[in-house]
Amino acid sequence: MKNIKFLIFGIAFGIILTKAEVISWFRIQEMFRFQSFHMYGIIGSAVVIGIISIFLLKKFNVLATNGEKLNFPIKPYNKGVIFGGVLFGLGWALTGACPGPIFALIGNGYSVFIVIMVFAVFGAWVYGLLQEKLPH
Amino acid sequence: MIELIKEPWPWYITGPLIGLMVPLLLVFGNKAFGVSSSLRHICAMCVPLDIKYFKYDWKSEKWNLFFVGGVVIGGFLSGQVLMDSEKVQISMETVNDLKALGVTDFASYVPKDLFSWENLLSWNGFIFMALGGFLVGFGTRYANGCTSGHSISGLSNLQFGSLIATISFFIGGLIMTHFLLPYLF
């Protein structure tokens, strides 16, 4: 089954998020209060490794293992990025969790985060409902 | 060695490992690293109704659901096997700030005085969990990505949209933390 590898990558990501304590509400508070380097170190070093990796993949024209050309992430700018981004930021500071950590916390036994996940899905659904009426 | 694995891992180990998810997913799956699109796929799978945003072939995006399923399992495994303590050693300044707000439980990843089933029906529990969750889902879809999709994946490919998104995430987080949070206790 070709999706098993994504399950395995997900498991690795869940372990890393937990071991890094990125899933902790306290770490997110510490970050937004500029009282520790921890989260900045994680995000900063992740981006540096990501930039170097993509640079090298492009430079050496690396193909995917299935032979396809790589689909590098394209994220065009529109106003929705600002409006949605600020709204997400408000929610990130409230819940202390972006989407990845919500899933990792559920796995860690913080069952009440199922409620947060359900409301996140509901939020995504309401966005879908209103999409054409919202400024982008 | 086992003791070392059971302790929290430092940022200079975990950050680069998270960064490596980007090339690994690209090379081995030709997929862009990101989590919040899973929320859209769940909607499209469960209650698409007649909404245009959910009319697409979500089955071709199933990999993303396997990925987030893996994140749940990864969280479970680290909680069961790889972690000694869930107490987070945050800075004393943060502890003092949060105590002043009224947080009393510092024993695990999240303060149980806010995040618990019992607190769900109180007004502030509802705001932290229900409104918070709603904003995470609504906001990440409106912004077309979350911390993973924009701040890690998009920034790695030097995307201007992702830079603006990351700045916006922080503006929202700072407004909540410094101006709104004091009224929510």
Side-chain angles (χ1 to χ4, degrees), chain A residues 80-92 99 119-120 122-127 134 136, chain B residues 36 39 53 131-146 150 165 168-169:
Chain A
V81 165
I82 298 180
F83 299 135
V86 170
L87 291 172
F88 162 54
L90 296 169
W92 189 12
F119 273 93
F122 178 57
W125 189 83
V126 172
Y127 168 73
L134 295 167
H136 279 83
Chain B
S36 72
L39 304 172
Y53 186 63
L131 180 65
F134 182 89
L135 288 170
V136 168
F138 185 89
T140 52
R141 290 296 76 215
Y142 197 171
N144 191 29
C146 59
H150 273 307
S168 306
F169 298 166

Side-chain angles (χ1 to χ4, degrees), chain A residues 64-79:
Chain A
T65 47
N66 61 6
E68 290 172 7
K69 272 192 78 185
L70 295 180
N71 297 316
F72 293 105
I74 301 298
K75 296 280 190 184
Y77 166 77
N78 62 50
K79 285 199 285 299

Side-chain angles (χ1 to χ4, degrees), chain B residues 106-134:
Chain B
F106 290 85
S108 62
Y109 294 128
V110 307
K112 296 270 165 64
D113 22 35
L114 293 175
F115 299 95
S116 66
W117 289 99
E118 299 80 58
N119 203 38
L120 196 57
L121 293 176
S122 71
W123 70 272
N124 78 343
F126 191 80
I127 289 176
F128 275 93
M129 291 181 271
L131 180 65
F134 182 89

Side-chain angles (χ1 to χ4, degrees), chain A residues 110-130:
Chain A
Y110 291 75
S111 59
V112 79
F113 275 73
I114 292 170
V115 175
I116 295 178
M117 191 205 80
V118 168
F119 273 93
V121 170
F122 178 57
W125 189 83
V126 172
Y127 168 73
L129 186 70
L130 302 177

Side-chain angles (χ1 to χ4, degrees), chain B residues 154-173:
Chain B
L155 281 187
S156 294
N157 198 28
L158 308 177
Q159 294 294 297
F160 179 67
S162 295
L163 179 64
I164 301 300
T166 304
I167 293 169
S168 306
F169 298 166
F170 265 81
I171 291 172

Side-chain angles (χ1 to χ4, degrees), chain A residues 51-65:
Chain A
I51 289 174
I52 296 172
S53 304
I54 289 193
F55 173 79
L56 292 174
L57 292 176
K58 284 180 178 171
K59 188 172 161 65
F60 295 104
N61 289 314
V62 177
L63 299 177
T65 47

Side-chain angles (χ1 to χ4, degrees), chain A residues 2 4 9 12 14 23 26-27 87 95 98 105 109 124 126:
Chain A
K2 68 181 189 337
I4 291 301
F9 282 127
I23 64 171
F26 297 108
R27 286 291 188 198
L87 291 172
T95 60
C98 35
L105 279 163
V126 172

